[in-house]
Amino acid sequence: MRQRLADYRVFWRQFRQAYHTTGAVLPSGPRLCAALSHFVREGDAADGRRILEVGPGTGAVTDRIVRDLGPADHLTLVERNEAFVGHLREHLQAAQPAALAASRVEMVHASVEDLPEEQPFDLIISGLPLNNFSVSLVEMLLGKMMSLLRPGGTLSFFEYVAIRRAKSLVCSASDRERLRGIARVLNELLGPAEIRRDLVLANVPPAWVHHVKKTET
Ligand SMILES: C[S@@+](CC[C@H](N)C(=O)[O-])C[C@H]1O[C@@H](n2cnc3c(N)ncnc32)[C@H](O)[C@@H]1O
């Protein structure tokens, strides 16, 4: 309980100090974390997989992924916000000591766009607040995450239900145009490649989780 309150405090502070990249008031709830980790739990872990979590924040989704890892899986976390990185190190030491001791979890303090692409990942789980970004940045980040995936690998990410419609009601004309651009970019990615979609109503706010498979060739 004390750990969760500390997580909420850090998250709220970063929401105020770095709204643009934090993008949420609260960490993801348990149902949303479970939906994001679906393919970690359900996929074939026999040979050990390379898994990447982008934007772990205070570690809510990370905890669920670690719980779902197969015995030979390896998880990399990439987080750009220094305050989250410091807090997450402490969080993992308290919540996931066995996984850390076995070197099954590695933390990288960087932006995902700076990760090298030589060793592709089998699964990527993203917490990036895409609807806060410019259209070109969303295009670049989605392209980068697909480049970091091996052929046949899966990218799972979420967005809050009707968030673009809700924002469009109160934002400027140029922001509306930006949100329309993001919808177009997402549709281009999801149309041919989405293999599963989960509606998570038991989250604040409710969210869609999209799962996209990279083509085999
Ligand atoms: C909406 S929060 C999600 C936090 C956590 N995954 C959760 O669901 O509770 C977005 C996270 O993405 C991180 N982030 C934003 N842009 C990033 C980037 N380019 N590379 C890596 N992390 C980024 C933020 O610092 C923040 O931790």
Side-chain angles (χ1 to χ4, degrees), residues 11 18 20-24 26-29 32-33 36 53-62 78-81 84 110-113 126-129 133 137 141 158 160:
F11 211 96
H20 195 65
T21 52
T22 303
L26 287 171
S28 296
L32 178 52
C33 296
L36 282 163
E53 185 189 355
V54 181
T58 49
V61 183
T62 316
V78 61
E79 172 58 62
R80 62 172 282 164
N81 180 320
F84 279 139
S111 292
V112 64
E113 45 272 49
S126 166
L128 293 179
F133 299 153
L137 184 56
L141 288 166
F158 74 94
Y160 297 124

Side-chain angles (χ1 to χ4, degrees), residues 176-192:
R176 251 193 304 278
E177 189 54 37
R178 179 184 69 81
L179 292 166
R180 267 198 292 272
I182 292 174
R184 177 180 45 75
V185 171
L186 284 175
N187 286 338
E188 279 166 13
L189 172 74
L190 297 173

Side-chain angles (χ1 to χ4, degrees), residues 3-4 6-7 57-64 84-97 100:
Q3 177 69 53
R4 195 165 320 147
D7 291 350
T58 49
V61 183
T62 316
D63 284 342
R64 179 66 212 214
F84 279 139
V85 170
H87 179 83
L88 188 54
R89 279 193 213 287
E90 286 171 20
H91 173 99
L92 290 173
Q93 265 149 19
Q96 306 295 348
L100 277 191

